[in-house]
Amino acid sequence: MEQAAAEVKIESSWKEALADEFSAGYFASLKQFLLEERKQHVIYPPGKAIFAAFNHTPFSEVKVVIVGQDPYHGAGQANGLCFSVSPGVKIPPSLQNIFKEISSDIGAGMPAQGDLSAWARQGVLLLNATLTVRAASPASHQGKGWEQFTDRVIRLLSEKREGLIFLLWGRPAQLKEKLIDTQRHFVLKAAHPSPLSAYNGFFGCRHFSQTNKILLNQGKTPINWSLT
């Protein structure tokens, strides 16, 4: 099992923090599942991008956590950061709504591209609950072990860090609140930015200005949410 853990390519501070997960039986089963899936199906994101959220945002640098669900399941969309797409890819509807709320909240312009890696480099962990998906098949990799892994990520951040801000949009994300010590951290909840629910409480949530106010109150550098 130690050899299996050593094979995982992930940023060093996360590799150390998550060593027990990489050595666990469920993670070995998950790796085997993904190997079998790749023999028959196209999997997103590409292998090198599966842990992109961690590689962009080391453990000690996390300030904000945004929890998503599945990676995008269309060709070329998923890049390992929740809600994000690579430059040149059409901006998905949920991300368009995120940008609309940012514009309304802090006055930023609407970006022409949807790559959120600039947020990740500032300490925003863009974490999907499930880190892979079969092409054109949403939720196809749920219940295979990823949730156990990403729940542990949230628990570790809750236990080892102080004053983080968790943005939980939609019911699946809000169920993660039970993993978070709300005496030590901040939790902001709203509807999911999907067109199906954005008007039920995502628009007008002002999470982006609220986040920066909390960061400033802690003496931390606020996030530059503008991508224009």
Side-chain angles (χ1 to χ4, degrees):
M1 285 298 184
E2 289 182 9
Q3 183 181 0
E7 292 169 0
V8 176
K9 292 180 172 61
I10 191 172
E11 190 275 333
S12 59
S13 65
W14 283 109
K15 191 164 193 172
E16 181 179 351
L18 294 165
D20 288 348
E21 305 310 300
F22 295 131
S23 299
Y26 84 86
F27 199 84
S29 298
L30 172 61
K31 286 183 69 174
Q32 188 59 39
F33 164 75
L34 292 173
L35 287 170
E36 293 301 319
E37 275 281 279
R38 282 207 177 91
K39 292 177 182 177
Q40 304 177 56
H41 306 285
V42 174
I43 304 302
Y44 298 131
K48 64 182 180 180
I50 290 173
F51 294 115
F54 305 92
N55 295 335
H56 279 84
T57 315
F59 186 82
S60 64
E61 296 178 20
V62 176
K63 297 193 289 190
V64 180
V65 182
I66 298 178
V67 178
Q69 296 173 41
D70 271 5
Y72 295 119
H73 54 83
Q77 289 183 301
N79 65 5
L81 307 176
C82 74
F83 294 107
S84 176
V85 291
S86 296
V89 177
K90 183 180 178 181
I91 300 173
S94 291
L95 185 54
Q96 284 278 16
N97 286 340
I98 291 170
F99 290 156
K100 287 178 184 177
E101 176 58 22
I102 291 172
S103 178
S104 172
D105 187 9
I106 63 172
M110 290 293 287
Q113 58 83 31
D115 179 16
L116 304 183
S117 58
W119 295 359
R121 289 191 294 270
Q122 296 176 76
V124 182
L125 181 67
L126 295 163
L127 180 68
N128 275 316
T130 305
L131 298 188
T132 57
V133 70
R134 185 188 301 173
S137 185
S140 51
H141 288 187
Q142 290 182 5
K144 304 298 183 183
W146 279 130
E147 294 91 343
Q148 186 171 341
F149 178 78
T150 55
D151 280 1
R152 182 60 181 153
V153 169
I154 295 171
R155 284 188 191 276
L156 277 171
L157 288 168
S158 177
E159 293 167 3
K160 304 291 187 183
R161 300 290 312 282
E162 294 273 355
L164 301 183
I165 306 161
F166 292 84
L167 306 184
L168 306 182
W169 300 333
R171 179 159 175 75
Q174 289 168 16
L175 291 173
K176 305 297 183 184
E177 185 176 12
K178 67 180 182 292
L179 307 172
I180 302 163
D181 182 348
T182 55
Q183 301 301 308
R184 294 164 54 124
H185 302 283
F186 302 87
V187 174
L188 302 181
K189 294 183 285 189
H192 194 275
S194 160
L196 298 174
S197 55
Y199 286 96
N200 293 329
F202 180 77
F203 289 138
C205 71
R206 306 203 67 185
H207 278 185
F208 306 95
S209 61
Q210 286 187 61
T211 292
N212 281 350
K213 183 177 180 179
I214 294 168
L215 290 171
L216 286 167
N217 286 343
Q218 296 183 83
K220 297 177 182 177
T221 304
I223 306 299
N224 178 9
W225 298 108
S226 175
L227 297 175
T228 56

